[in-house]
Amino acid sequence: PEIEGTFGVVTSTHWIATAVGMAVLEKGGNAFDAGVATAFTLQVVEPHLNGPGGDVPVIVHEVKRGKTDVICGQGPAPAAATIKYYRDELGLDLVPGTGLLAACIPGMFDTWMLLLRDYGTMTLADVLTPAIDYARNGYPLVERISATIDTVKDMFRDHWKTSAAIYLPDGKVPAPGTLFRNTKLAETYARVLREAESVGGDRVAQIEKARKVWSQGFVAEAIDTFCRTQEVMDTTGERHRGVLTGQDMADWQATVEAPIHYDYGRYRVMKAAPWTQGLATLQTLALLKGYDLDRLSPTDPDFIHLQIEATKLAFADRDTFYGDPKFVKVPVDVLLSDAYNAERRKLITNRASLESRPGTIPGFGKRLDVRTADGARAAVASSGAGEPTVGRIWTHDDSNLPDAPSARAKMGATPGDTVHFDIIDRDGNMVSSTPSGGWLHSSPVIPELGFCLGTRAQQFWLDEEHPNALMPGKRPRSTLTPTMALRDGQPYLAWGSPGGDQQDQWITQFILRHAHFGMNLQEAIDAPAWHSEHFPASFWPRQARPGVMVVESRVPDATVKELRARGHEVEVGPAWSEGRLTAASRVDPYRRAAANPRGMQGYAAGR
């Protein structure tokens, strides 16, 4: 059901994390306290989807201040992470998908400390103890954790033995349902808590101490030593040391910034700035604003076709213009303007586009060179957006990818994913967040800490002229993209999904179903879904599949037939396989929430 109440709601991608968040609300915590506790718990119970070494954006609406903020927990590239080093000295044309070279500064812990200090009310012990208990005493493994470990078990045994020590107990892949423990991670967080509490009973002083323990104490020291001394196998098939240092960690803290937004009918949809791909949702809505979608149905071929074609245009702009606004100017106002999107909309016909068609904004952006594995260039429409880059993007014939799939798995090249949560408390405070990275298969576990580093640097390009070029201190253009919306000027909705490049596709589908077809939160999540793989993936090996879209088998056969007749290369997947959305809304005095049934893992709670 769509959960409904007046006290508060919590929804997340794992039922245990939802229960922890709800318990915090019951103990008198606000949405932000509950968010921090939920986030730490997700690190423990979904280690294949996020971990302490990862990164996170957070969107918060605080009633007391009457404003919406974005907290940036995306750590930037280390000081030694230069294109010259990766491309010229190491001979790479892509940042590896695994291992130490792909690590940015871990951003999660400091983000949760900032959220707890400035927006929360509880102590560090209140929000961290549940995660410590689950790591120490165990939690039941979901099927996907076991499957992920099985995929990389040979890599662990042959190369990443510190990971094998934790994730292959007795040398075997633990079965689903096994009560699994990570006692080393429990010890790490317990030590952080002890050192934080050593300063006395002041809540803020404890939080500040914890931040220093993490970025300048034993955690940073262990990470620094591991990166300097260990040569780690990665997706290149070779061993490399890391470039991340303790000084990098000491020099960085999470920051607060304003969201960007787009007005779509009654809704003002808000996202993080274009150091994430969130702008793509806003651009897609700007393109679809020119169509009468109310006359369609959620599985009408016209509706799916229009959304897919608008997505292709928005994501072409993503790959051409987006980058860290601290380093490059991103023409957000132009990309969301009526005039620009009116011209872009003219490119949408009744036929599926098989081209990459970024827009033209003089003085901005650089178009990617989409090539097949044998070096032939894929269809790229002339855009005037600059000369093609040196970025290599593989097309969808998997046999042409560098190394066979089995070999890539042995090097740890197993796709990662993400977690998400949305929380609204009785006062109307709202938080939406999409933590990710630091997956158990990202890189070897640092033995003193019980967790591994993330690999977000693989989303950079090794091309100095591209807005998303690798550069020290720069944030990679992340796929992570929580969302909030006002309705009729009032704070209303928080939602999001794991899924890499698919996140903003499912996020957009959700709001379209809710806004145009009157579906409640649960109905909008449950409806048949789909995604496009037309554009370059954000993760190694940056695969593109021109014209390909994947639909759930619940999409009617007649719709699939019509989409194919329009030139889409339609792949039909399992009935419940697209997306892991969660959502929460407030219309005073009500609080509502919903969670994804796919995978039998997400859960919404409230009263």
Side-chain angles (χ1 to χ4, degrees), residues 90 149 262 279 298 302 332 341 352 357 374 428 430 449 526 598 604:
L90 298 180
I149 296 171
Y262 183 74
L279 176 57
D302 282 344
V332 175
N341 286 289
R357 301 184 294 180
D374 61 8
M430 304 169 65
L449 302 178
D526 291 352
R598 298 164 177 87

Short mmCIF file of all heavy atoms in Angstrom, two decimals, residues 90 149 262 279 298 302 332 341 352 357 374 428 430 449 526 598 604:
data_model
loop_
_atom_site.label_atom_id
_atom_site.label_comp_id
_atom_site.label_asym_id
_atom_site.label_seq_id
_atom_site.Cartn_x
_atom_site.Cartn_y
_atom_site.Cartn_z
N LEU A 90 50.82 6.38 -17.32
CA LEU A 90 50.29 5.02 -17.17
C LEU A 90 49.76 4.45 -18.48
O LEU A 90 49.49 3.25 -18.57
CB LEU A 90 49.18 4.99 -16.12
CG LEU A 90 49.57 5.40 -14.70
CD1 LEU A 90 48.36 5.33 -13.77
CD2 LEU A 90 50.70 4.51 -14.16
N ILE A 149 29.18 -11.33 -4.61
CA ILE A 149 30.39 -11.96 -4.09
C ILE A 149 30.79 -13.14 -4.99
O ILE A 149 31.97 -13.34 -5.31
CB ILE A 149 30.19 -12.43 -2.65
CG1 ILE A 149 29.94 -11.22 -1.73
CG2 ILE A 149 31.40 -13.22 -2.15
CD1 ILE A 149 29.51 -11.59 -0.33
N TYR A 262 13.48 23.34 -12.01
CA TYR A 262 12.70 23.61 -13.21
C TYR A 262 11.22 23.52 -12.84
O TYR A 262 10.81 22.61 -12.10
CB TYR A 262 13.01 22.61 -14.32
CG TYR A 262 12.27 22.91 -15.61
CD1 TYR A 262 12.67 23.96 -16.40
CD2 TYR A 262 11.18 22.15 -16.00
CE1 TYR A 262 11.98 24.27 -17.57
CE2 TYR A 262 10.49 22.44 -17.17
CZ TYR A 262 10.89 23.50 -17.95
OH TYR A 262 10.21 23.80 -19.11
N LEU A 279 20.45 17.45 -13.64
CA LEU A 279 19.94 18.40 -14.63
C LEU A 279 19.25 17.68 -15.78
O LEU A 279 18.37 18.26 -16.42
CB LEU A 279 21.10 19.26 -15.13
CG LEU A 279 20.85 20.27 -16.24
CD1 LEU A 279 19.76 21.26 -15.86
CD2 LEU A 279 22.14 21.01 -16.60
N PRO A 298 -0.10 5.47 -19.28
CA PRO A 298 1.27 5.17 -18.83
C PRO A 298 2.04 4.18 -19.71
O PRO A 298 3.27 4.13 -19.63
CB PRO A 298 1.06 4.61 -17.42
CG PRO A 298 -0.25 5.15 -16.98
CD PRO A 298 -1.09 5.23 -18.21
N ASP A 302 3.09 6.30 -27.66
CA ASP A 302 3.46 7.70 -27.82
C ASP A 302 4.15 8.23 -26.57
O ASP A 302 5.15 8.96 -26.65
CB ASP A 302 2.21 8.55 -28.10
CG ASP A 302 1.75 8.42 -29.54
OD1 ASP A 302 2.54 7.93 -30.38
OD2 ASP A 302 0.60 8.79 -29.83
N VAL A 332 23.45 26.27 -17.51
CA VAL A 332 22.20 25.73 -16.99
C VAL A 332 21.00 26.53 -17.48
O VAL A 332 19.97 25.97 -17.89
CB VAL A 332 22.23 25.69 -15.45
CG1 VAL A 332 20.88 25.23 -14.90
CG2 VAL A 332 23.34 24.77 -14.98
N ASN A 341 14.96 24.66 -25.75
CA ASN A 341 14.25 23.38 -25.81
C ASN A 341 13.22 23.34 -26.93
O ASN A 341 12.90 22.26 -27.44
CB ASN A 341 13.63 23.07 -24.45
CG ASN A 341 14.69 22.64 -23.46
OD1 ASN A 341 15.25 21.56 -23.56
ND2 ASN A 341 14.99 23.52 -22.50
N ALA A 352 12.58 6.56 -34.04
CA ALA A 352 13.64 6.50 -33.03
C ALA A 352 14.94 7.06 -33.60
O ALA A 352 15.35 6.69 -34.71
CB ALA A 352 13.84 5.07 -32.57
N ARG A 357 23.00 13.42 -30.47
CA ARG A 357 22.67 14.76 -30.98
C ARG A 357 22.70 15.80 -29.86
O ARG A 357 21.66 16.27 -29.41
CB ARG A 357 21.30 14.74 -31.65
CG ARG A 357 21.22 13.75 -32.82
CD ARG A 357 19.88 13.82 -33.53
NE ARG A 357 18.79 13.37 -32.67
CZ ARG A 357 17.50 13.35 -33.05
NH1 ARG A 357 17.17 13.76 -34.28
NH2 ARG A 357 16.56 12.91 -32.24
N ASP A 374 35.95 -1.60 -32.80
CA ASP A 374 36.93 -1.77 -33.86
C ASP A 374 37.42 -0.44 -34.43
O ASP A 374 38.16 -0.40 -35.40
CB ASP A 374 36.38 -2.65 -34.99
CG ASP A 374 35.15 -2.03 -35.66
OD1 ASP A 374 34.80 -0.87 -35.35
OD2 ASP A 374 34.53 -2.72 -36.49
N GLY A 428 7.36 18.15 9.19
CA GLY A 428 7.46 18.44 7.77
C GLY A 428 8.86 18.54 7.23
O GLY A 428 9.05 18.85 6.04
N MET A 430 12.16 17.28 5.53
CA MET A 430 12.28 16.28 4.47
C MET A 430 13.76 16.07 4.12
O MET A 430 14.53 17.02 4.10
CB MET A 430 11.53 16.74 3.22
CG MET A 430 10.06 17.06 3.44
SD MET A 430 9.28 17.90 2.02
CE MET A 430 9.35 16.61 0.77
N LEU A 449 40.35 -1.35 8.48
CA LEU A 449 39.09 -0.60 8.53
C LEU A 449 37.86 -1.44 8.23
O LEU A 449 36.76 -1.11 8.66
CB LEU A 449 39.14 0.58 7.56
CG LEU A 449 40.27 1.59 7.77
CD1 LEU A 449 40.22 2.67 6.71
CD2 LEU A 449 40.21 2.20 9.17
N ASP A 526 5.05 1.20 -9.04
CA ASP A 526 4.72 -0.15 -9.51
C ASP A 526 4.49 -0.24 -11.01
O ASP A 526 4.61 -1.33 -11.59
CB ASP A 526 3.45 -0.66 -8.81
CG ASP A 526 3.66 -0.92 -7.33
OD1 ASP A 526 4.82 -0.85 -6.87
OD2 ASP A 526 2.67 -1.19 -6.62
N ARG A 598 10.17 -4.48 -6.44
CA ARG A 598 11.10 -5.26 -7.25
C ARG A 598 12.29 -5.72 -6.39
O ARG A 598 12.91 -4.93 -5.71
CB ARG A 598 11.60 -4.43 -8.43
CG ARG A 598 10.49 -4.00 -9.39
CD ARG A 598 10.96 -2.86 -10.29
NE ARG A 598 9.98 -2.45 -11.28
CZ ARG A 598 9.02 -1.54 -11.07
NH1 ARG A 598 8.91 -0.97 -9.87
NH2 ARG A 598 8.19 -1.21 -12.03
N ALA A 604 8.73 0.69 2.89
CA ALA A 604 8.25 1.96 3.42
C ALA A 604 7.54 1.71 4.74
O ALA A 604 6.86 0.69 4.90
CB ALA A 604 7.30 2.64 2.43
#
